[in-house]
Amino acid sequence: MNGLSIQPTERRINTILITNSYSIVLLMHVLSVNVGLPRSVQWAGRTITTGIFKQPIQGAVSLNGLNFVGDGQADLTVHGGPDKAVYAYDNAHYAYWQHQLERADWAPGLFGENLTTEALLESEVRIGDLFRIGSTLLRAVQPRFPCYKLNVRFDDPSMTRHFARGGRSGIYFRVVEPGIVQAGDVITLIEAANTDITIQTVSQIVLKRQADADLLARLVALPHLPDSLKRMFTP
């Protein structure tokens, strides 16, 4: 993979839906804002405390530097923090999972995401892309790596494995400018990262545990990649 020099005004992210007779350009926007505070649940014979149970919120929701109002994480050693302040998961992935899993409840927030989105895909979003969402500025910095809390949420001991193999990680954002977000807000790319390395690329490298030396060097040089991942990629 060779680096690309991309100017902020030269790139747009859209998803094109092809039907039998015409194509529709799906503009990026927020379908649902979801929050939830940590709760204790019984699973596999033990008590688990988790913040993965998110519920859609009507109206505008305030976002500070770390969380939406009404949202929180249970284990701050692996969840939350500046580099995992907002988690987005796309509606296209819901469609995929509905074909893979037998489940009646597919309400927004099921994957623990704060933002259920339309046309915001990790295969297109690059490390460092800066977006305006509502009145906030959010920078895409890393994929989500699954933990056993997904098993708890889905009541399925295999869900973490399914999620990793599915290649649909979702996107973690760092808050650059706090503000207000609500369902229906347009998602606008306002500063394109000067790289061709996508969120999905990073996810695949970590999960497959393989990459050539040139790509690893480029990853470590990314200014907005979290230090925790840079240490992982440093020989």
Side-chain angles (χ1 to χ4, degrees):
M1 298 174 66
N2 295 318
L4 301 178
S5 179
I6 303 167
Q7 299 302 316
T9 57
E10 292 181 353
R11 198 173 124 237
R12 297 291 184 269
I13 301 176
N14 294 303
T15 296
I16 300 177
L17 175 66
I18 306 296
T19 70
N20 290 333
S21 57
Y22 58 90
S23 63
I24 304 171
V25 176
L26 302 177
L27 296 179
M28 300 180 294
H29 65 279
V30 177
L31 294 177
S32 179
V33 181
N34 318 298
V35 302
L37 294 173
R39 66 170 75 171
S40 294
V41 297
Q42 295 296 315
W43 190 78
R46 57 189 177 129
T47 300
I48 304 295
T49 302
T50 175
I52 200 171
F53 289 86
K54 310 294 187 189
Q55 299 296 326
I57 296 294
Q58 300 299 316
V61 186
S62 295
L63 173 66
N64 59 35
L66 294 176
N67 284 304
F68 281 101
V69 171
D71 194 53
Q73 298 81 34
D75 185 354
L76 295 179
T77 64
V78 292
H79 300 292
D83 293 328
K84 297 179 180 179
V86 175
Y87 178 49
Y89 203 67
D90 201 76
N91 189 50
H93 299 336
Y94 273 79
Y96 167 83
W97 289 113
Q98 286 182 50
H99 285 91
Q100 303 296 315
L101 305 173
E102 293 184 6
R103 185 182 180 88
D105 173 21
W106 291 99
L110 180 62
F111 290 84
E113 77 273 15
N114 301 113
L115 301 177
T116 309
T117 60
E118 183 75 72
L120 185 71
L121 298 174
E122 58 278 294
S123 57
E124 298 180 4
V125 174
R126 301 173 185 183
I127 300 291
D129 278 347
L130 184 66
F131 294 88
R132 172 72 70 184
I133 306 180
S135 63
T136 71
L137 286 177
L138 303 181
R139 192 180 298 279
V141 293
Q142 67 179 319
R144 186 252 194 99
F145 301 107
C147 75
Y148 78 96
K149 299 294 178 67
L150 267 176
N151 296 345
V152 177
R153 183 66 181 91
F154 280 79
D155 194 22
D156 180 351
S158 300
M159 188 58 201
T160 299
R161 185 170 66 253
H162 294 325
F163 188 88
R165 290 177 176 174
R168 292 161 171 80
S169 69
I171 304 165
Y172 269 123
F173 291 90
R174 182 184 300 140
V175 178
V176 175
E177 185 175 298
I180 304 293
V181 181
Q182 61 184 328
D185 280 343
V186 173
I187 301 172
T188 304
L189 176 67
I190 66 167
E191 181 184 294
N194 188 27
T195 182
D196 63 345
I197 298 176
T198 66
I199 297 290
Q200 186 178 70
T201 299
V202 176
S203 177
Q204 291 173 339
I205 290 171
V206 172
L207 293 175
K208 293 180 179 180
R209 300 182 181 276
Q210 59 182 20
D212 61 48
D214 176 68
L215 179 54
L216 290 177
R218 291 172 54 214
L219 283 165
V220 173
L222 290 174
H224 300 295
L225 189 73
D227 288 342
S228 59
L229 287 177
K230 289 187 178 184
R231 288 191 295 269
M232 185 182 300
F233 297 140
T234 301

